[in-house]
Amino acid sequence: MVGLSNLLSIGQAAFYGIGAYVTALALKTLGLSFFPSVILAIVITLLFAIIVGYISLKMEGDYFILATLGIQIIVFTILNNWIAVTMGPYGIPGIPSPKLFGYIEIKGIESFLMVSTAFSAITIFFFHRLIKSPFGRDLKGLRDDSISMIALGKNITKLKIQSFVISSSFAAISGFIYASYISYIDPTSYNLDESIFIISAVLIGGTGNIKGPIIGAIFVVALPELLRFVGLPDSIAANMRMIIYGLTLVIIMRYRSQGLAGVYKF
Amino acid sequence: MLTQFLINGFINGAIYAMVALGFAIVYNTTRIFHIAFAILYMIAPYLVYSFYSQAGYPLVLSSVAAIVCIVLISVLIELIIYRPLIKKKSSLNVIMISSIGLMIVGINVIALIYGNDTKILSSSISNTISLGNIIITYKQFTQLVISTLAISGFMVFLKYSKFGIKTRAMRDNVTLCNVFALNVPKFRLSLYALSGAFAAIGGILISLDVGMDPYIGMPMFLNAVVALIIGGIGKFHAPLFGGIFIGLLQSLVVWKFSANWQDLMTFSILIIFLIFRPQGLFGEKQRLV
Amino acid sequence: MARNILEIKELYKSFSKGKYGKDDETYNLLSNLNISIPENTISALIGGNATGKTTLFNILSGFLKEDSGNIYFHNSKTTNLSEIPPYKREHLGIGRLFQDNHIFPTLTVLENLIIADKNVLKGNPFEAIFNVKRVKESEKVLTQKATETIAHLFGKSHELLSKLNDKASSLSFGQKRLIGLIRLFMSDYKLVLLDEPTAGINPALNDFISEIIKQMVLENGMTVFLIEHNMNFVRKTAHNCFFLDNGKINMQGTPSKVLGNEFVQKNYLGV
């Protein structure tokens, strides 16, 4: 959802991963309940995002993409090799379900559906307000013409960091939901491919509004179901799915670079 | 022991340098972040595998055939994917994203055809050359010789041939090249051909030693990009130093810690460079406005 | 004699001669440039192409860094601009109109004007979420200010008023330029730098723009420093004229004095 400010980050999965790992450690090792774990996950991801933001957002264009890519790989390497804390490639199994107010255990598909729907609704509401607000206007302005923004006295580095940090904290929440629902995490869910996958979803849907990424996500999630429906065997389906994502990206960039439902062209 | 690690590192570095040079040929002249380059590197050894291990042709012939195929694919990528986008005046980001899409397609097509498991070209244990304590396998020797030849060949070519002059001219100013009636679109094809050849040679050399799987492209591509950044964008000799530097650094990390931490070190170095010296070791500072 | 609002002292700026030249071969674009701009006046900077006029403006705005020299901005207190980052120079009260139209194409006309405001969020994006009422109110005030400014400058029936919610990319070049000028009225600027206000504009509009610029000084208390190639416009609009040649100010005075000078006529106007 960073699309609004035209910052193509190849490191989203790193934030998603940090959110998930902090959740896992908070729930399992520290034995915290629902709200403290969410808050811890967000705060730690936020801090990390601020540091990364300060470093990478001073760079332009390809350099920014490269920096986020570098950070992505560094995070993955640490998750994969810091065995003492993350258990490395074996992952962290048996993450306990979080408890709401210390009593209600959130467990099973229904309650997680509720939690994730609630979070999605909050996210959409939040972004809707943000895009319509003066802050959203500033981000659009930044996208259109950064020189003018400076001439109008806007601190563009701060703006970029703000939008980067906000989107990273949402990645942290996704990480929280995923880790506590699946109850097992391992580093391969947070590697470079995952980041590229997230970008694909965003770009296929389009950027600059809320509709775009949602449509992108629906496309990305619905496609495997569709392939299963067509009756492809599982062994082929996984590769086939990725081939279709790839082709879709190529075709969309060629004929409709603002994505299926987005506003901005790249 | 340390010397042994350094020599291994140097040989790896030579291959990084060559692959980085292949990427630099495209990036320095067109500014396209050509991620699909990664699959060229990855597909080449699979072609050798088909020709050599499956169809039974000699290794050298198979390799040459594979290189030719990759050169063709590289040129086709430019013709079918990049050129129409450039005609449409799409931004470089759009082109890069198309390139990502293409890479995803390439990896999965190969995975569909050959499977996800690691394939090896030859299982025989290689003969070695011993110089005192240091042991170099024949495979490593081949890697060193061929990559050195390819790199130095290109450097001489770049310096003395007409093609080289055009390449350097295009690196400096594309508009001017257009003005001076240099056929830029046609010339770009030869750049892509050359770049593809470097990717293919690199891929085949590495796979002689460690085999291949559909995912080897990206890590090598990343190393190549880091080599390019460390050396400095815009200079053709720069990725050589960058490549060797990374090769040596990684071997030191393996020696001191373990191979698991190689990437961490490589990319930390990348970020340190991006912060403190974005123009690389040899690059010039560029004006922003 | 009015107080000077801007003083440029011994300013130097050079560029290296390009990639083929040796590193020490440089081209001195500005060398020992001195200018003082009196408060509440309109000053014009003239000079041939590539003499460094826009470069000077970019140094003043902070987009380029001078090699040496000092730039003092006198408002309620004196500031040496060299140490101030570009966006903070705007906070001091320095506005800028660019030579090519730097407006935001995907924003509406209205948004292009009210984006100039910096107060509503004070840099806190969460204000938009949690303090909806205050944001709404300030947006209303801003909208009103924008409409009133347009009506005041151009009259109540001006076409821009009916286009407030159109995307700025749909405007003509001249209209975009007007947006750039109107935007300067949205903040309380002390000094505005106008890079060729009449470039690419229908000559019929020149007088109109001249009036707007005069209004900036008379009604809004701004000081105007502009680059211009249209000498009739300079004669009609400016109080002072500076002729930039060979990296320094070769001549200054009233427009009629500078433009009437033999050297200027020969070397620049080509008379």
Side-chain angles (χ1 to χ4, degrees), chain B residues 40-50 121 200 203-204 207 212 216:
Chain B
L40 299 177
Y41 170 89
M42 176 272 292
I43 295 174
Y46 275 101
L47 292 174
V48 177
Y49 178 78
S50 282
L121 281 176
I204 295 169
S207 67
M212 68 206 84
I216 55 171

Side-chain angles (χ1 to χ4, degrees), chain B residues 21-59:
Chain B
L21 197 59
F23 177 68
I25 291 172
V26 168
Y27 187 73
N28 282 351
T29 50
T30 66
R31 292 283 145 172
I32 290 177
F33 205 76
H34 179 35
I35 296 186
F37 184 79
I39 56 169
L40 299 177
Y41 170 89
M42 176 272 292
I43 295 174
Y46 275 101
L47 292 174
V48 177
Y49 178 78
S50 282
F51 298 143
Y52 170 68
S53 307
Q54 293 180 328
Y57 293 105
L59 181 60

Side-chain angles (χ1 to χ4, degrees), chain A residues 120-132:
Chain A
S120 305
I122 293 171
T123 309
I124 291 172
F125 174 74
F126 186 92
F127 271 90
H128 182 74
R129 278 242 168 122
L130 216 54
I131 286 174
K132 294 271 178 236

